[in-house]
Amino acid sequence: MSENVLYLSSKYTKSVVYEKSAFFVASKGFRHKKRQIPNYEIMFVTNGVLYYQEGQRQYELSKGDVFIASPNITHFGYYPSEEGASFYWVHYFLTDANAVRFDNGYFHIRDDIRLLQLFKQLLHIANSNIYPLEALNQTVALILAEISVGSMTQGGKNEKLDEISAWICSQTDGRLLKVFDVEERFGAQVHRLWKANGSASNMSLNDYIIAQRLELAKRYLLSTNIYIKEIAARLGYNSPDNFVKFFKYHEHITPGEFRNGYYNTLIHNR
């Protein structure tokens, strides 16, 4: 299957609205039912093969594959799956249809451990009946971010751009990364390259760095119980107050409010 990249606008986290989710294990002869739905659906395959068709295109989805089904397009299983095939799924809406873009719905995520953790986290929140809807919205947004990062590190539309994106993601933890650092690593022409190729995630280079820092901060807040001052240090801030100001400026709430209002639990691997 052809490579594909998931592009996220700088405001995409405000656009995601969760509807429902589950983990599905197929019985013998399972085929995804034929239908059209008014929302998006993410399917993340964890075992076996899912034979899936959207419109006129057919896909064989296996472990590590993700498919994002688009609204109002007919989709169905065109061939039976073996017993035991399994996948996570989540339905969500976008209040801004341009907030998340892709050429086609298929993505392969080579490093799928973090995605697996996020889906487990999503189901924990959905089944607890104590968390607000915003907690579910934010977790789906994190899942989309993980798919975006995974899609940009698999040799997509521009290898150099993929390299820059992957390096930024790898440097966010433990370092207060700046545009200057990216220029120092890849040269001053990095801005021209970024802009010429539509930019990873459809953001400016600075916005992309900020988005990755916010994503990592949210992961720490949602999936660990470490102190906020330690999170600040891990992100490269020399003062917790500076981290709190940064987070509140972009998310309009403090890190503590985000954690206390949404989710605070440790995630364990399967």
Side-chain angles (χ1 to χ4, degrees), residues 14 45 64-65 96 101 107 140 153 193 234 252 255 258 270:
K14 308 297 184 186
V45 180
D65 285 348
D96 178 359
R101 298 187 296 106
F107 304 88
V140 176
T153 57
L193 175 66
R234 290 190 183 192
H252 309 295
F258 181 88
R270 201 173 183 178

Side-chain angles (χ1 to χ4, degrees), residues 64-269:
D65 285 348
V66 171
F67 194 87
I68 304 179
S70 295
N72 304 316
I73 299 178
T74 300
H75 57 259
F76 58 94
Y78 68 88
Y79 189 80
S81 295
E82 293 183 359
E83 185 175 3
S86 61
F87 59 94
Y88 287 92
W89 61 264
V90 56
H91 290 191
Y92 68 95
F93 293 91
L94 291 175
T95 58
D96 178 359
N98 294 317
V100 180
R101 298 187 296 106
F102 47 86
D103 294 332
N104 65 77
Y106 169 78
F107 304 88
H108 178 71
I109 310 300
R110 291 189 174 95
D111 181 11
D112 61 1
I113 296 299
R114 289 184 298 183
L115 196 57
L116 179 63
Q117 291 174 336
L118 286 170
F119 269 101
K120 287 184 176 183
Q121 177 175 311
L122 178 68
L123 295 191
H124 173 87
I125 298 173
N127 294 325
S128 295
N129 297 318
I130 60 173
Y131 298 101
L133 175 62
E134 186 61 25
L136 292 161
N137 297 346
Q138 289 290 342
T139 308
V140 176
L142 286 172
I143 287 171
L144 288 169
E146 194 62 49
I147 296 170
S148 177
V149 170
S151 69
M152 287 188 295
T153 57
Q154 56 176 307
K157 295 184 176 180
N158 185 285
E159 291 184 3
K160 191 64 176 179
L161 195 66
D162 293 343
E163 181 185 353
I164 295 167
S165 302
W167 185 81
I168 290 171
C169 295
S170 71
Q171 296 295 310
T172 305
D173 199 354
R175 181 179 184 183
L176 195 60
L177 196 68
K178 303 288 187 182
V179 170
F180 170 79
D181 300 310
V182 185
E183 292 174 335
E184 192 173 57
R185 170 83 178 195
F186 295 100
Q189 72 275 17
V190 68
H191 289 283
R192 182 164 51 83
L193 175 66
W194 193 271
K195 186 175 181 179
N197 287 276
S199 87
S201 295
N202 197 32
M203 303 178 187
S204 71
L205 183 57
N206 186 59
D207 285 346
Y208 184 73
I209 293 170
I210 289 172
Q212 296 309 309
R213 191 183 307 153
L214 282 169
E215 181 197 341
L216 184 58
K218 289 176 181 178
R219 284 184 187 169
Y220 280 133
L221 291 165
L222 292 174
S223 61
T224 78
N225 57 3
I226 61 178
Y227 292 116
I228 288 174
K229 65 179 180 181
E230 184 177 344
I231 295 175
R234 290 190 183 192
L235 293 175
Y237 287 92
N238 56 16
S239 164
D241 289 342
N242 289 338
F243 166 59
V244 172
K245 289 177 183 177
F246 163 80
F247 193 92
K248 187 171 183 179
Y249 176 81
H250 290 283
E251 296 297 321
H252 309 295
I253 57 174
T254 68
E257 290 168 340
F258 181 88
R259 167 178 275 174
N260 293 334
Y262 301 157
Y263 187 67
N264 181 19
T265 189
L266 289 172
I267 300 175
H268 300 281
N269 286 339

Side-chain angles (χ1 to χ4, degrees), residues 20-82:
K20 56 186 177 181
S21 60
F23 177 66
F24 179 83
V25 180
S27 57
K28 186 176 181 179
F30 164 77
R31 295 190 192 199
H32 197 293
K33 65 181 179 180
K34 189 172 185 177
R35 63 182 181 179
Q36 289 186 11
I37 57 176
N39 49 16
Y40 294 87
E41 178 183 10
I42 302 173
M43 292 173 287
F44 170 46
V45 180
T46 56
N47 187 53
V49 179
L50 181 65
Y51 301 93
Y52 185 82
Q53 180 166 334
E54 182 179 73
Q56 300 302 311
R57 299 189 66 173
Q58 294 182 339
Y59 304 85
E60 291 187 18
L61 307 175
S62 55
K63 185 179 184 299
D65 285 348
V66 171
F67 194 87
I68 304 179
S70 295
N72 304 316
I73 299 178
T74 300
H75 57 259
F76 58 94
Y78 68 88
Y79 189 80
S81 295
E82 293 183 359

